[in-house]
Amino acid sequence: MFHYTKKVSLPLEEAIVQLEEALTGETFGVLWQLDIQKKLQEKGVGFDKKFIILEVCNPQEAKKVLEEENLAGYFLPCKIVVYEESGQTKIGMPKPTTLISMLENDKLKEVAQGIENRLIGCIDAVE
């Protein structure tokens, strides 16, 4: 699977708070949040699903990746999505290892695996 997705028992807003706390503990910062529902509605497009995209980054890891391969920047920053589906909050992300595997660089695969493990740990920290 290209993604890791987890169902959580918390409402979306509380899940985001817990996720951000876990990310901070792993030295990932949230660069920005995009509220898809709000943005589409601002543009006159009806969209009834709560759907938030978090762009997250660890500066040291980003530096390592970009020093090795500029094309890896196409995958940065990492995305984590928090959304509601059928009344259930879900948190998910594309797996960094899957994305980086397209570059066929073994050194980057190792870095991506470490990042992926840490991000999955952050998602799993949310109840």
Side-chain angles (χ1 to χ4, degrees):
M1 294 190 108
F2 82 94
H3 66 97
Y4 178 80
T5 304
K6 176 187 175 185
K7 294 178 185 177
V8 299
S9 61
L10 296 173
L12 181 136
E13 294 81 6
E14 291 178 39
I16 290 173
V17 169
Q18 279 194 14
L19 178 61
E20 288 178 330
E21 289 172 1
L23 288 165
T24 298
E26 284 292 335
T27 63
F28 282 87
V30 176
L31 301 175
W32 62 86
Q33 279 189 32
L34 176 59
D35 183 332
I36 295 291
Q37 181 184 41
K38 182 179 176 183
K39 185 54 72 178
L40 290 177
Q41 289 174 349
E42 285 174 7
K43 303 295 181 184
V45 177
F47 188 72
D48 293 329
K49 185 186 295 188
K50 289 185 178 181
F51 200 99
I52 309 294
I53 300 172
L54 304 174
E55 298 277 349
V56 304
C57 182
N58 175 299
Q60 292 76 27
E61 298 291 357
K63 179 180 184 251
K64 272 192 246 180
V65 169
L66 291 171
E67 285 179 340
E68 179 69 24
E69 175 63 62
N70 286 331
L71 290 176
Y74 290 15
F75 309 129
L76 299 177
C78 296
K79 286 184 176 18
I80 299 180
V81 179
V82 185
Y83 60 100
E84 288 183 353
E85 184 174 73
S86 303
Q88 176 76 56
T89 302
K90 294 185 177 182
I91 303 174
M93 67 174 189
K95 290 182 176 178
T97 54
T98 301
L99 297 172
I100 226 68
S101 70
M102 292 186 265
L103 298 177
E104 299 177 8
N105 179 319
D106 289 336
K107 184 175 181 183
L108 284 179
K109 287 178 185 177
E110 291 175 24
V111 174
Q113 186 65 64
I115 292 168
E116 182 174 305
N117 292 343
R118 290 167 64 199
L119 291 177
I120 287 173
C122 291
I123 291 171
D124 284 347
V126 180
E127 301 172 16

